[in-house]
């Protein structure tokens, strides 16, 4: 999947655990886990907005793009 | 207070299970009667003739047994139909109805409906061979609503297949 999710780095930078993030936003731990492990196929804008709000970041800091060679 | 969707679901589920049981029992019952009649027809018929019924043995058998067998078969097919419908309904209450399996079950229900129509047509045709004027009467016209129901089942199967594909597409969306 060329789109990468840098959730680990951001959580570490904000000193937050995945469980704490799940509590703050209206997203299940299971879904956040899917996102973190790169298994998500798509993300809703509402989800993206909620995470960015909680982590005080921009979508560009959360998502990356590595073109498949 | 149960929410709006559970009551109709419970009613449908009950009706389907009741239909399944009823058609299965009737099917077995008619099969037993058909077999007993085939074994016992000389006795039955000679008694009937003694009581004044006008009938020749060759007129009644094997047609009556065949009609009963045909009716038993139709009820058996109907029982299988109810069974599959019950499985589909169960998957609704367990939360994941839009699967390829349910699409397949609905298609089977469509085919079973067509089969019931065909067997019914044959049974009706055999029934016409029975001499008129006695108490046995059979008739089964090609049932327009039956064919329509089969068509409906096929269409709904297609809908379920599309819904399953759409659901699969959404899987993995957070």
């Amino acid at each position: 999947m060329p789109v990468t999710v840098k959730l680990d780095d951001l959580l570490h930078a904000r000193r937050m655990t995945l469980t704490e993030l799940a509590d703050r936003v209206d997203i299940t731990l299971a879904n956040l886990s899917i996102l973190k492990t790169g298994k998500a196929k798509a993300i809703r804008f509402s989800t993206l907005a909620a995470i960015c709000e909680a982590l005080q970041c921009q979508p560009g800091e959360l998502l990356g793009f590595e073109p498949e060679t | 207070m149960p929410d709006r969707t559970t009551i109709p679901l419970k009613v449908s589920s009950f009706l389907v299970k009741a239909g399944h049981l009823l058609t299965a029992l009737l099917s077995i019952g008619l099969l037993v009667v058909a077999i007993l009649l085939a074994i016992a027809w000389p006795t039955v018929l000679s008694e009937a003739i003694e009581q004044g019924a006008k009938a020749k043995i060759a007129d009644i058998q094997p047609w009556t047994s065949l009609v009963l067998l045909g009716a038993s078969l139709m009820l058996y097919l109907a029982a299988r139909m109810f069974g599959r419908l019950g499985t589909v309904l169960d998957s609704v209450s367990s939360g994941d109805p839009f699967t390829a399996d349910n699409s397949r079950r609905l298609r089977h229900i469509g085919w079973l409906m067509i089969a019931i129509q065909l067997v019914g047509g044959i049974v009706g045709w055999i029934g016409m061979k029975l001499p008129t004027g006695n108490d046995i009467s059979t008739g089964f016209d090609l049932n327009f609503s039956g064919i329509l129901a089969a068509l409906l089942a096929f269409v709904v199967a297609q809908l379920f297949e599309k819904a399953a594909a759409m659901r699969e597409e959404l899987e993995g969306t957070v």
Side-chain angles (χ1 to χ4, degrees):
Chain A
M1 170 56 99
V3 173
T4 56
V5 180
K6 297 175 266 182
L7 197 54
D8 267 338
D9 302 333
L10 275 172
L11 282 172
H12 181 72
R14 304 285 186 267
R15 304 276 189 272
M16 210 188 287
T17 63
L18 203 63
T19 320
E20 283 164 3
L21 182 62
D23 287 334
R24 282 206 206 186
V25 303
D26 197 13
I27 301 163
T28 61
L29 191 59
N31 275 350
L32 280 180
S33 206
I34 290 171
L35 200 57
K36 190 176 102 108
T37 53
K39 295 207 168 71
K41 288 194 214 146
I43 184 168
R44 295 188 189 89
F45 281 164
S46 54
T47 306
L48 189 55
I51 295 176
C52 287
E53 170 94 48
L55 294 179
Q56 293 292 298
C57 67
Q58 287 289 309
E61 295 174 84
L62 183 64
L63 304 170
F65 177 68
E66 280 149 34
E68 279 156 0
T69 44
Chain B
M1 180 74 164
D3 76 278
R4 285 174 44 229
T5 54
T6 58
I7 296 174
L9 187 64
K10 284 196 168 82
V11 171
S12 306
S13 203
F14 171 74
L15 286 173
V16 166
K17 287 193 164 70
H20 191 187
L21 190 65
L22 201 66
T23 47
L25 287 174
L26 283 172
S27 173
I28 295 170
L30 278 180
L31 183 65
V32 167
V33 170
I35 292 172
L36 287 176
L37 193 69
I39 296 170
W41 63 260
T43 328
V44 167
L45 210 56
S46 51
E47 273 178 28
I49 289 174
E50 267 172 45
Q51 282 164 21
K54 301 185 201 115
K56 288 200 293 247
I57 291 170
D59 286 340
I60 307 278
Q61 285 291 74
W63 313 120
T64 315
S65 276
L66 283 177
V67 164
L68 287 170
L69 276 174
S72 171
L73 180 62
M74 280 168 69
L75 285 164
Y76 167 71
L77 292 173
R80 291 204 66 136
M81 206 180 69
F82 276 113
R84 278 193 173 58
L85 203 58
T87 315
V88 171
L89 272 178
D90 285 340
S91 74
V92 171
S93 46
S94 75
D96 189 14
F98 296 119
T99 56
D101 280 337
N102 275 346
S103 171
R104 183 178 42 89
R105 285 182 194 115
L106 283 160
R107 258 183 290 122
H108 285 178
I109 288 174
W111 284 122
L112 284 168
M113 283 179 177
I114 290 179
I116 290 176
Q117 295 294 305
L118 285 174
V119 174
I122 294 171
V123 165
W125 176 77
I126 293 175
M128 291 198 295
K129 285 195 183 289
L130 288 174
T132 51
N134 54 25
D135 295 329
I136 314 163
S137 68
T138 61
F140 192 92
D141 308 310
L142 202 59
N143 203 340
F144 179 66
S145 63
I147 296 176
L148 196 64
L151 214 63
L152 212 75
F154 286 125
V155 168
V156 175
Q158 279 295 100
L159 291 175
F160 265 65
E161 200 152 307
K162 180 70 180 171
M166 284 169 74
R167 193 186 53 76
E168 205 163 300
E169 178 115 5
L170 268 191
E171 207 143 305
T173 298
V174 297

